[in-house]
Amino acid sequence: MREVEIYCRNTHMTHTYPMGTSLLEISKDLNIKLHNQVCGAIVNHQVKELSFCVVKPKHIEFIDFTHPDGVRMYIRSLVFVLYAAVKEVFPHVAFKVQNGISNGYFCELQGLEREISDSDIFSIKQEMNALIEADIPFVKKGIITSHAVDLLAKQGLEDKAQLFEQQGRMYSYLYFLNDLGDYFYGNLLPSTGYISNYGLVPYFDGLLLQVPRRKHFKKLHKVVYNDKLFEIFQEQKDWAEILNVSTIGSLNDFALQNRSGDIIKISEALHEKKIAEIANQISARGNGTKVVLVAGPSASGKTTFSKRLGVQLAVNGMRPYQVSLDDYFVDREHTPKDERGEYDFEALEAIDIEFFNHQLIALFEGKEVRLPKFDFHSGKRMENGRTLKLEKDDILIVEGIHGMNPGLLTDVKEQNTFKIFISALTQISVDEHTHISTADNRLLRRMIRDSRYRGYRAADTIKRWPSVRKGEEKNIFPYQENADIMFNSATIYELAVLKKYAEPILKTVLENQPEYTESTRLLEFLSYFKPISDVEIPPTSLLREFLGGSSFAY
């Protein structure tokens, strides 16, 4: 019998196995012990299920729930089990995963036509637990695409069926849990028995599927009612209904019919209307509002939003002045460091709070101040020669990640501020059971901008992204509900536009680079979109901040 050689990163050793040995068999033979149960593996920097059989020499790293791809495998499998349970308890109800919120996933039972009761949740959980205890395997089968489309349609999964039809493939893969078929963008766990912790609770008018904490698997995240965030998610849902686009499949239909221009025009008009409404709210407050704070995570479009808001405030007779919190960084040698000893530019302490507040108070008192400019090359703050003095109808727009943090404005009264939180909350889903992560949307934006304007490769952006996300979770998202209003900078059409720009950049990541795992995942994700041209995107669009062609100066 022929044998193949594998290098296991977990054991730091080379091992030999008969050709066709599965990853599950190898993990058991090597007695791989991780923080949690082994759920998959990274094989030559590609994610594989434990059923994958080795027939060539491979570089293998077994992963568990502490790995981002292990988390994704767990969540997909958990959603499948929840879908199967809902299908059993409520055969005629459509189960849909809408968006991520409160460190979980908001789900709807469409067609229930009444409020979800505690007994409903008890029945669903009881069915889920029975499926988990039975340890039923998730079976992946390749079948003729037309048969897969028919099967999905019969189960009421019209969005999945539509996407399968559009791909134009002879054969497609479906996962089966007993006789129930489904498809997920990515890999699953070997069986239902691998799911050992989850939660299911009422949340607004639906359900919140709770998942374990990544570093403390036996604990679930605390349920937080993000009222303002949920409201903006509902607004995006309304916008999707206005455009009749809620999934990749329905967006693809517009592209295939050469009607993408309609989507672009309406999406941009909805943005302009919303920004005008926010400007009207600020104006209605009168001269008491001295400073508008605009905050949000990386690649959310804060800069362009601030400029467009300034235009709308000017329409209302106000004179806006733009200020960036980045110019108030402390000198490099005074920047705090993280636990790895690296500069933590996203910590609040990286901002000279005292100096920032001193200048604000001086401006509010009618004094003239010399505005600073931070030189990122030298790591020093200096004067840029620009002075500012606020008159009666003047207003400051301050853009920076810490705008919602109560520790930023130590000397400014709350009634003198208006806070806006901005993020790119993706408005469409892949299908009924697969939402699109807002973080993926922002990563693609940032990758394109980094490549076009900062000289960074895709691998560089991907490598930095976990650190960026960690900073956001610590310094930005905990304060988002402090906003007076939230704004969604994403557009329904944008991922189909980003596809053309992102794919060539992602393909520069080589197989021997660790970032290949993520680039491959993103390329697979983008493959579902039919491309949309950016020709009709106006020069004032928030998307132009990343693609280029903006009429604003940055």
Side-chain angles (χ1 to χ4, degrees):
M1 181 178 290
R2 293 181 60 185
E3 295 186 327
V4 292
E5 192 175 84
I6 65 113
Y7 175 78
C8 180
R9 189 172 176 183
N10 308 90
T11 63
H12 305 288
M13 293 177 64
T14 298
H15 307 273
T16 302
Y17 285 96
M19 182 183 293
T21 305
S22 72
L23 292 177
L24 180 60
E25 292 171 322
I26 294 173
S27 68
K28 289 182 177 179
D29 180 69
L30 296 178
N31 194 27
I32 301 295
K33 299 295 183 184
L34 304 176
H35 293 286
N36 306 301
Q37 189 173 19
V38 174
C39 62
I42 307 297
V43 179
N44 289 3
H45 292 145
Q46 293 189 61
V47 183
K48 299 293 182 182
E49 297 166 335
L50 290 178
S51 59
F52 177 80
C53 295
V54 177
V55 295
K56 294 180 180 179
K58 301 290 183 182
H59 183 288
I60 297 172
E61 178 187 4
F62 291 99
I63 61 173
D64 64 0
F65 189 78
T66 61
H67 191 282
D69 285 295
V71 173
R72 294 187 184 103
M73 294 174 80
Y74 191 91
I75 291 170
R76 294 183 197 113
S77 306
L78 180 57
V79 168
F80 198 174
V81 170
L82 175 54
Y83 166 55
V86 170
K87 194 77 174 170
E88 182 66 29
V89 177
F90 301 108
H92 304 296
V93 165
F95 166 71
K96 294 200 174 184
V97 179
Q98 292 291 3
N99 45 256
I101 192 170
S102 186
N103 291 302
Y105 298 88
F106 176 70
C107 310
E108 290 184 336
L109 302 184
Q110 296 179 356
L112 188 61
E113 297 180 350
R114 60 174 174 79
E115 288 188 7
I116 298 170
S117 66
D118 290 339
S119 64
D120 293 334
I121 293 177
F122 177 80
S123 298
I124 294 170
K125 289 181 70 174
Q126 199 172 34
E127 183 64 29
M128 289 179 71
N129 291 337
L131 291 170
I132 291 168
E133 288 171 12
D135 194 20
I136 305 167
F138 295 108
V139 180
K140 189 176 184 179
K141 295 181 182 179
I143 59 178
I144 296 173
T145 297
S146 59
H147 294 173
V149 169
D150 290 342
L151 188 150
L152 293 170
K154 286 177 182 177
Q155 289 181 195
L157 301 178
E158 300 290 347
D159 295 332
K160 288 181 188 284
Q162 181 185 33
L163 198 55
F164 268 53
E165 276 188 310
Q166 290 173 346
Q167 297 309 296
R169 295 170 182 162
M170 183 69 73
Y171 280 83
S172 297
Y173 285 95
L174 286 183
Y175 283 98
F176 287 87
L177 180 53
N178 291 329
D179 295 327
L180 192 66
D182 207 338
Y183 179 77
F184 292 89
Y185 143 66
N187 302 291
L188 299 188
L189 301 172
S191 65
T192 59
Y194 278 67
I195 298 169
S196 57
N197 191 19
Y198 75 94
L200 195 65
V201 296
Y203 197 80
F204 292 99
D205 57 346
L207 300 170
L208 182 70
L209 178 61
Q210 296 174 276
V211 297
R213 297 184 181 184
R214 185 171 159 187
K215 293 185 178 180
H216 302 282
F217 183 79
K218 294 183 179 180
K219 295 182 179 180
L220 298 174
H221 288 280
K222 181 182 178 182
V223 177
V224 178
Y225 283 88
N226 303 117
D227 298 272
K228 292 172 184 173
L229 183 60
F230 187 78
E231 183 181 341
I232 207 73
F233 272 125
Q234 293 303 105
E235 181 183 72
Q236 74 160 39
K237 186 178 174 183
D238 293 340
W239 287 10
E241 289 176 358
I242 289 171
L243 293 162
N244 195 28
V245 177
S246 59
T247 62
I248 294 178
S250 53
L251 178 62
N252 285 345
D253 270 351
F254 275 85
L256 292 168
Q257 297 167 19
N258 294 317
R259 295 176 55 207
S260 52
D262 297 340
I263 295 289
I264 292 173
K265 293 182 183 72
I266 297 172
S267 295
E268 293 296 335
L270 287 167
H271 263 185
E272 195 63 36
K273 181 180 179 181
K274 182 68 175 182
I275 295 171
E277 289 173 355
I278 294 172
N280 291 340
Q281 286 189 42
I282 296 169
S283 301
R285 288 193 173 190
N287 292 327
T289 301
K290 302 292 186 182
V291 57
V292 176
L293 296 161
V294 179
S298 175
S300 57
K302 297 183 291 294
T303 304
T304 303
F305 172 84
S306 298
K307 292 180 181 296
R308 286 179 65 172
L309 178 64
V311 172
Q312 291 294 339
L313 289 171
V315 169
N316 291 352
M318 305 178 81
R319 285 189 297 271
Y321 290 92
Q322 310 275 341
V323 174
S324 173
L325 268 181
D326 287 357
D327 287 326
Y328 288 86
F329 273 132
V330 297
D331 288 346
R332 185 77 38 87
E333 62 265 26
H334 301 303
T335 303
K337 294 184 178 181
D338 60 20
E339 63 274 9
R340 295 172 299 178
E342 297 178 359
Y343 288 118
D344 187 358
F345 295 108
E346 295 184 329
L348 181 61
E349 294 75 20
I351 303 294
D352 191 337
I353 302 295
E354 183 178 355
F355 178 58
F356 177 63
N357 279 264
H358 173 76
Q359 288 215 323
L360 285 185
I361 294 301
L363 286 168
F364 297 163
E365 292 175 349
K367 298 176 183 177
E368 185 176 75
V369 303
R370 292 185 177 276
L371 295 175
K373 180 69 176 178
F374 190 83
D375 182 3
F376 286 89
H377 180 70
S378 66
K380 299 287 185 181
R381 190 177 68 228
M382 56 193 68
E383 292 183 359
N384 67 353
R386 179 184 167 201
T387 61
L388 179 61
K389 181 178 180 181
L390 296 182
E391 304 294 342
K392 178 184 176 184
D393 293 320
D394 295 347
I395 189 168
L396 281 178
I397 300 177
V398 178
E399 175 238 319
I401 66 172
H402 296 294
M404 303 301 106
N405 192 321
L408 177 68
L409 300 183
T410 55
D411 301 328
V412 179
K413 295 179 180 177
E414 186 73 19
Q415 59 264 34
N416 294 140
T417 68
F418 190 92
K419 300 186 181 76
I420 304 168
F421 188 83
I422 177 172
S423 194
L425 307 175
T426 316
Q427 296 163 313
I428 61 173
S429 300
V430 176
D431 52 44
E432 294 92 342
H433 301 157
T434 312
H435 86 297
I436 296 175
S437 167
T438 62
D440 283 351
N441 195 345
R442 292 189 293 108
L443 174 55
L444 290 169
R445 283 181 174 186
R446 178 168 172 145
M447 191 181 303
I448 293 167
R449 183 179 62 190
D450 282 355
S451 174
R452 291 174 70 86
Y453 303 112
R454 301 176 181 177
Y456 294 150
R457 298 168 301 172
D460 297 327
T461 304
I462 291 171
K463 185 177 181 179
R464 290 186 180 95
W465 191 241
S467 177
V468 171
R469 295 281 292 126
K470 184 178 180 181
E472 292 171 351
E473 295 293 339
K474 179 181 177 181
N475 300 306
I476 301 176
F477 293 125
Y479 306 108
Q480 61 185 355
E481 287 290 317
N482 291 340
D484 292 295
I485 198 166
M486 290 188 177
F487 178 81
N488 183 10
S489 71
T491 58
I492 283 180
Y493 68 83
E494 76 170 87
L495 286 166
V497 172
L498 295 179
K499 174 187 174 83
K500 178 181 76 173
Y501 291 88
E503 283 183 334
I505 300 170
L506 287 165
K507 289 177 181 177
T508 64
V509 183
L510 304 177
E511 185 183 18
N512 62 358
Q513 294 178 285
E515 294 76 24
Y516 187 75
T517 307
E518 186 71 347
S519 68
T520 302
R521 182 183 72 84
L522 292 170
L523 281 168
E524 174 68 18
F525 164 60
L526 290 170
S527 72
Y528 295 106
F529 289 88
K530 302 299 180 184
I532 289 178
S533 171
D534 64 342
V535 172
E536 293 196 53
I537 301 176
T540 55
S541 172
L542 275 85
L543 207 53
R544 287 292 176 195
E545 181 177 331
F546 309 96
L547 302 180
S550 177
S551 57
F552 293 114
Y554 296 101

